[in-house]
Amino acid sequence: NDGGWQDRETYAGRLGDAPFEVLFRADTGRFVTICNLARCLDADAPARSLQGRSMEMTGDDGRTRILTIQSVDKPDRIGAYAPVIPLDRSPQRFRVLVPLECASACIETAMEKWQEEFGRVWDRMPLRAGVVAFPRMTPFQAVIEAARNLEADLTEAKPEVWRVHERRTKDGVTALILVRADRTYETVLVPTGLPDGREDVFYPYVRVEDRELRHAHDFQHPNGTVYRHAAALRPGDSIVVHPGRVAAVFMDTTARRFEKARSWYLSDFRRMRDTWALLQRVGPSQGALRGAWAELEDRQIAWRSPAGEWSTGGEEEWIALVYAVLRNRLGVSGAVLEHLVEAARDGILEWAIEWHLGWLKEGLEE
């Protein structure tokens, strides 16, 4: 039946206990099997074991259709066959398969290029990056499903209201110090000048929670929303931001693909990498770092509810413990200690340890 089948798209289902996949060809109106038929066919009568069967088939769009096999024949002559599966045709999405040790460099390169190309529209065209790490023997279909789930989670990110704390403009670049929704300060560099020295009055606008036109470049949408030039923002202005996010999942088991991964702000990835670089410079032993975090993690679990809420006074006591443990076990002090404590408070230190020691299997100089 006409189920809206798309040309050269693959559809997957199950025939009995075995996976069954087909490719639809619009030019012939037929389906071509692209799976190991020996797992589901009767060796003595392969055609009869398929004819008349009905099954649910799911496409890349997630929609389920019913496929009933009316007749079975040899496929039309295929001049050339390449086992290529089109994963996505959207120019807004890019997937790449690399060794895990290259993932950090890939994200950092994408962030640099995004800042270069989209720095003027950073608030409404965010970069969202997902990492699915998996051992070599993991079924690839499970990996693709994990990637799709991760992409869906990142797509669900809602716009947030950030407050302008400070704004400075120099040499065609506006530096905004913003207070995020989680009350963390973040610095954003927005190019507001053109190469010839003129002010860019086309792109670097942000949506503000303001109903009054205050600046010559302010303009109002018919629905009442006001947009303001980045160089005209003042401390206290509230702006609507679609934040860039990073999320990652490590598939030590295929069941991980069903778990919702924690996502971070894009700038937190830089903080995580900077925190690890700091740990490498101060040079604690790997055993000392693992022991310090094991102690802190144990207390954190004990002083939090199953929902993640701190017990009364628990967070303050834990931060005090962080100071003591990091000072005694890692031998750090001063600005380094303050940086690591702040990273521990925000979860960045735990992420850095998990990412580099747990996933990448990197070591520290003993």
Side-chain angles (χ1 to χ4, degrees), residues 122 159-167 175-188 209 233-243 245 265 267-268 342:
W122 66 276
E160 299 177 358
V161 177
W162 294 7
R163 182 172 53 83
V164 178
H165 178 72
E166 187 176 346
R167 185 266 302 165
L176 299 174
I177 300 179
L178 305 170
V179 182
R180 299 187 319 210
D182 62 352
R183 299 182 180 180
T184 300
Y185 288 90
E186 177 162 335
T187 301
V188 177
E209 289 202 322
L233 292 170
R234 295 176 182 173
D237 285 348
S238 295
I239 65 175
V240 178
V241 175
H242 294 260
R245 310 289 294 190
Y265 289 105
S267 59
D268 287 340
E342 187 68 22

Side-chain angles (χ1 to χ4, degrees), residues 1 14 36 65 69 79 84 189 219-220 225 251 275 282 295 318 341:
N1 296 325
R14 299 194 70 84
N36 183 4
R65 304 166 174 85
I69 303 175
V84 176
L189 300 179
F219 66 92
Q220 193 169 31
T225 302
M251 294 182 62
T275 298
V282 299
E295 182 177 352
W318 188 76
V341 171

Side-chain angles (χ1 to χ4, degrees), residues 101 104 108 268-290 293 330 336 339-340 343-344 347-366:
E101 59 266 22
S104 298
E108 289 167 348
D268 287 340
F269 185 82
R270 291 194 183 97
R271 286 187 62 197
M272 183 270 287
R273 295 282 286 168
D274 290 343
T275 298
W276 181 253
L278 179 62
L279 286 171
Q280 289 182 312
R281 286 199 300 271
V282 299
S285 69
Q286 189 166 313
L289 180 59
R290 288 186 180 277
W293 183 252
L330 304 188
V336 174
H339 179 101
L340 293 178
I348 299 295
L349 180 60
E350 179 182 8
W351 188 19
I353 295 173
E354 179 187 35
W355 181 272
H356 293 91
L357 291 185
W359 294 17
L360 300 183
K361 307 300 182 184
E362 293 182 5
L364 291 168
E365 293 294 335
E366 298 290 346

